[in-house]
Amino acid sequence: MSSRTDQYSLNLFSNIENTEIYKKPVQATQILIANGIMTGQQVKAWNTLLKHAKEQNDAYNLTIKAGETKKPRTFRINRLELMDKMGYKSTNRKHFKEALIKMQDLKATWDILGQDGNNAWASCVLLPFLVVDNEYVHYSFVEHIEPMLFNSEIFHHLNLGIQRLLKRDESVKLYDWVSRYKTNPSKRTNCDPWELWRWIIYGEVDKKSYLQEYKLFKRDKLLPAIKEINEVTDIMLELIENKDGSRRVKELQFKITEKPKFNSKEGENKEVVDVGPTLKDINDQLQKLDISNYYKKKLTNFYDLALIQANIQYTISRMNDQSQDSIKNLGAYLLKACEQDYAGFTKQKSQNQNSGNGAMKVSDVLAEFQKVRTDDAIRMFGEMLLTDQEQKIAQYNALTEHAEQQIPAEIGERHHRHMIPFYQWLAKTTWGDPTPEEIIEFTMKIKK
């Protein structure tokens, strides 16, 4: 980590003012703007207005008497407070007002799950009503959208204080979108077409735009956003590009790693926990060894990064050993090295961690590990949008030969005998088979 990044992180975690958590409904994050470009400042304003309205709505509900009908609400926030929350430092109020007024022209599409279980796409403006006076900003939302803004059961923790530190529009929007995946067991976002990610972090583009070309979008919008997020925020993003066997990138996914927290006392930075090699570190090393994409994907999808790192070092030593025969296929050799752990990484880790408190049956450990993974898959599935859930079910059914084992189309007909094998499949396709290191780590946890 560079000294510049160290300083960013130290400032971030030692400054309590940068901590302002908003339990943001997922539906309020996963919206797409269909007729314009939403700026970073407007995203910050949107989040602040949502949070403030939720707090006012909760307080208002406490005053309603039994049997009393709730009336439509208009919310308000102090103008200076909103400007501060947006990170708006200029004394010129004209641009501040213009940014809010333009939000009335932005049309958002929402993914809505109705009470009947049906999912639908709704479209409306972000702010149908807005008044800015000398002291307050008054606003309201579309009546049909309000319930999911205030009563949603699916939400994530968004740090508004950290989001305010971001300067680039694309960084603000990308951080806003991926923050919901920090608590996802897979620590990965959905894998979606790169054009959708362009829409998320930038907006719609016309056919003549230079951003129609992925490499230019990546250079000018995507990589700068990732760089700023990694330097300034509490997370590290790793870009995963999926070419699906072709030469061109078709889909993108992000892996999210939360940064180790820094402690500050009298200006001294205490020890930081070593989080080990990142996916980027491993990919860089594999690139230098000229390992093909086929073997890269096999290695990083199925083996722990620390295990790959240890066996890369072993392989390099093996290559430099003049007494040994040359390696004909380096990718295949490295894959075999990880599979059988030529470097002895797992054994060494086990010796370091094993306290010798008695042996456990391998079958019991594996069964308990499978149960935990399945529970993680159930939680992950519950966080997905209904369209993503149905897509996963369709993939599973396509791979299931016997019709009686497939998941029924009607939700009411889905029972444990259908869903448990599905969740086990979802866990395996998401995280793969457990690595030796994961089993050892898990064993140490359940022995405590």
Side-chain angles (χ1 to χ4, degrees):
M1 189 180 288
S2 68
S3 59
R4 180 167 179 253
T5 305
D6 283 341
Q7 190 58 47
Y8 268 125
S9 301
L10 180 58
N11 291 339
L12 174 63
F13 290 106
S14 63
N15 188 350
I16 195 169
E17 292 180 0
N18 287 334
T19 302
E20 183 186 346
I21 304 300
Y22 168 38
K23 289 173 63 173
K24 185 177 182 181
V26 170
Q27 297 99 319
T29 293
Q30 298 197 196
I31 58 176
L32 296 172
I33 303 301
N35 65 329
I37 304 295
M38 193 173 185
T39 68
Q41 278 198 336
Q42 288 170 334
V43 173
K44 294 174 185 178
W46 171 246
N47 287 330
T48 302
L49 294 175
L50 286 173
K51 180 175 183 289
H52 200 78
K54 175 68 164 63
E55 293 167 353
Q56 285 191 330
N57 186 72
D58 290 346
Y60 176 72
N61 285 338
L62 294 175
T63 67
I64 299 176
K65 298 178 182 179
E68 190 175 57
T69 303
K70 183 179 177 182
K71 297 179 180 179
R73 289 280 292 154
T74 297
F75 308 96
R76 74 175 189 177
I77 183 173
N78 182 277
R79 176 181 57 79
L80 294 178
E81 180 184 354
L82 178 57
M83 292 171 71
D84 180 62
K85 300 293 187 183
M86 290 171 59
Y88 188 87
K89 303 300 183 184
S90 174
T91 57
N92 187 340
R93 277 193 273 166
K94 178 182 177 183
H95 298 304
F96 164 75
K97 290 181 180 179
E98 287 178 348
L100 295 181
I101 291 172
K102 286 180 179 178
M103 290 176 69
Q104 293 190 283
D105 296 328
L106 295 176
K107 185 173 67 176
T109 54
W110 309 68
D111 192 6
I112 296 177
L113 180 62
Q115 293 181 350
D116 58 357
N118 289 326
N119 132 283
W121 283 96
S123 177
C124 68
V125 296
L126 285 179
L127 293 176
F129 174 76
L130 177 73
V131 173
V132 182
D133 61 30
N134 288 334
E135 189 173 0
Y136 291 102
V137 174
H138 308 261
Y139 60 100
S140 66
F141 305 104
V142 173
E143 182 180 354
H144 295 85
I145 297 299
E146 267 196 31
M148 71 180 185
L149 299 180
F150 298 150
N151 306 319
S152 175
E153 296 180 358
I154 305 177
F155 58 85
H156 66 97
H157 293 90
L158 175 66
N159 193 321
L160 300 182
I162 291 177
Q163 189 177 54
R164 279 197 292 274
L165 300 175
L166 296 167
K167 304 300 182 186
R168 298 184 63 90
D169 290 350
E170 296 82 18
S171 306
V172 174
K173 289 185 273 190
L174 182 58
Y175 179 78
D176 196 73
W177 192 280
V178 303
S179 286
R180 68 154 297 201
Y181 295 93
K182 286 193 294 186
T183 56
N184 191 307
S186 70
K187 300 296 183 183
R188 297 192 180 205
T189 66
N190 286 344
C191 186
D192 289 310
W194 76 263
E195 294 89 350
L196 177 60
W197 285 106
R198 180 186 61 197
W199 194 355
I200 291 168
I201 76 168
Y202 178 74
E204 282 190 305
V205 299
D206 59 41
K207 294 181 179 180
K208 296 181 180 179
S209 172
Y210 80 100
L211 294 178
Q212 289 285 359
E213 192 169 349
Y214 172 70
K215 68 177 182 180
L216 299 181
F217 160 71
K218 178 181 178 181
R219 182 195 69 189
D220 291 353
K221 303 297 179 183
L222 185 57
L223 291 183
I226 294 173
K227 182 175 184 293
E228 187 180 24
I229 288 172
N230 289 348
E231 287 181 345
V232 175
T233 75
D234 54 341
I235 61 175
M236 295 288 291
L237 291 183
E238 295 175 11
L239 175 64
I240 302 171
E241 297 176 321
N242 179 17
K243 297 184 179 180
D244 196 22
S246 67
R247 292 187 176 184
R248 296 188 176 186
V249 173
K250 293 186 176 181
E251 296 177 323
L252 301 179
Q253 187 178 32
F254 295 90
K255 182 177 180 181
I256 303 166
T257 304
E258 294 190 73
K259 290 179 182 175
K261 291 180 173 56
F262 288 77
N263 294 317
S264 177
K265 184 177 181 181
E266 297 179 358
E268 292 185 2
N269 186 16
K270 293 186 178 181
E271 183 179 359
V272 179
V273 178
D274 181 12
V275 295
T278 66
L279 182 61
K280 184 178 185 304
D281 296 332
I282 296 299
N283 280 331
D284 287 345
Q285 293 178 64
L286 295 176
Q287 183 71 29
K288 290 178 181 178
L289 292 174
D290 200 25
I291 304 297
S292 69
N293 287 332
Y294 172 80
Y295 287 110
K296 279 184 189 176
K297 182 176 282 191
K298 284 276 189 183
L299 288 163
T300 55
N301 280 354
F302 292 102
Y303 296 101
D304 181 83
L305 298 180
L307 176 69
I308 300 173
Q309 173 74 67
N311 282 282
I312 286 176
Q313 296 304 317
Y314 175 89
T315 301
I316 292 174
S317 299
R318 166 71 174 74
M319 291 167 61
N320 293 332
D321 187 350
Q322 300 296 325
S323 65
Q324 300 276 355
D325 294 334
S326 61
I327 300 173
K328 295 180 179 180
N329 187 328
L330 196 55
Y333 181 88
L334 184 54
L335 187 63
K336 192 72 173 178
C338 289
E339 180 184 332
Q340 299 188 6
D341 192 11
Y342 290 170
F345 173 80
T346 303
K347 183 179 180 181
Q348 182 181 0
K349 184 103 173 175
S350 177
Q351 289 173 347
N352 291 341
Q353 293 184 345
N354 194 349
S355 58
N357 291 332
M360 299 182 67
K361 289 185 178 180
V362 175
S363 58
D364 292 341
V365 174
L366 290 175
E368 186 63 24
F369 184 90
Q370 178 65 38
K371 180 181 181 301
V372 172
R373 273 281 172 90
T374 302
D375 289 342
D376 287 341
I378 292 172
R379 283 192 290 272
M380 179 178 69
F381 185 76
E383 291 180 357
M384 292 180 180
L385 297 175
L386 187 62
T387 49
D388 295 331
Q389 290 180 352
E390 295 304 322
Q391 184 181 22
K392 289 294 183 184
I393 288 174
Q395 291 175 3
Y396 173 79
N397 284 344
L399 297 172
T400 305
E401 294 182 0
H402 302 290
E404 63 271 13
Q405 295 176 344
Q406 294 180 350
I407 299 176
E410 296 295 329
I411 295 178
E413 296 179 4
R414 296 173 183 174
H415 305 293
H416 285 300
R417 60 187 171 85
H418 299 119
M419 300 309 295
I420 294 303
F422 166 74
Y423 292 134
Q424 291 172 344
W425 168 84
L426 181 62
K428 185 169 183 178
T429 56
T430 303
W431 301 296
D433 291 321
T435 64
E437 184 190 14
E438 286 174 328
I439 295 299
I440 292 170
E441 238 177 73
F442 180 76
T443 304
M444 299 307 296
K445 285 181 182 179
I446 63 177
K447 284 177 70 178
K448 289 182 179 179

